[in-house]
Amino acid sequence: MLLTAGLTSAVAFDSIARWFFFLSPDKIIHEDTLLELRIVLSSLAAIGVFLLFRSAVLMHVRKVHSFILNAPRREFLIIMLTLGFCLRFVVVSFMEIPLYIDYKGYDELARTWVQKGGYYNGEHLTGYYPVGYPFFLSRLYLLF
């Protein structure tokens, strides 16, 4: 069932996305939210494939796990750095996620807090972002 739902979402994502616009009270959905929805729905297919081949996958996972844990410290470090690089490369290469520098985002959030009195996603008030550091910056901006 998960495999079917995931494959259906890959083929008919636009019609599924239209339902989310229908369910939204203001009929506005941020494009990052649509990207997250696409990732979640495609993950259903991956979970379905895993459940079909669970025993074979778990056998290979146990072998890799024991190989990594029994590796000498230097080889372990090389393996972990290589895996981290490969994961980062896949995410940056194949996913349409806009990357920006953290301080730029914090600065924008702090400025909108000072100007409008809260966190805004465009013209809409939002509770999506954590309060901590941007709120602290906004107090500094008000002070100076």
Side-chain angles (χ1 to χ4, degrees), residues 111-123:
R111 287 179 190 273
T112 58
W113 191 296
V114 169
Q115 293 168 354
K116 298 180 179 181
Y119 285 153
Y120 281 80
N121 189 3
E123 293 298 319

Side-chain angles (χ1 to χ4, degrees), residues 15-88:
S15 60
I16 294 171
R18 272 188 254 124
W19 275 100
F20 275 81
F21 282 108
F22 175 74
L23 295 173
S24 173
D26 57 358
K27 305 293 186 251
I28 297 173
I29 295 181
H30 196 269
E31 56 188 59
D32 290 342
T33 305
L34 288 176
L35 176 63
E36 292 170 1
L37 176 64
R38 185 181 296 267
I39 291 170
V40 167
L41 292 176
S42 62
S43 298
L44 293 177
I47 293 169
V49 168
F50 169 75
L51 291 176
L52 285 175
F53 301 105
R54 182 177 53 200
S55 60
V57 169
L58 290 177
M59 181 181 68
H60 290 295
V61 166
R62 285 188 196 104
K63 287 180 184 178
V64 170
H65 182 259
S66 66
F67 172 75
I68 290 174
L69 289 182
N70 295 329
R73 185 175 258 172
R74 182 174 180 211
E75 289 178 15
F76 178 78
L77 181 63
I78 291 171
I79 290 170
M80 289 295 116
L81 289 174
T82 304
L83 287 174
F85 174 79
C86 291
L87 179 63
R88 178 71 177 176

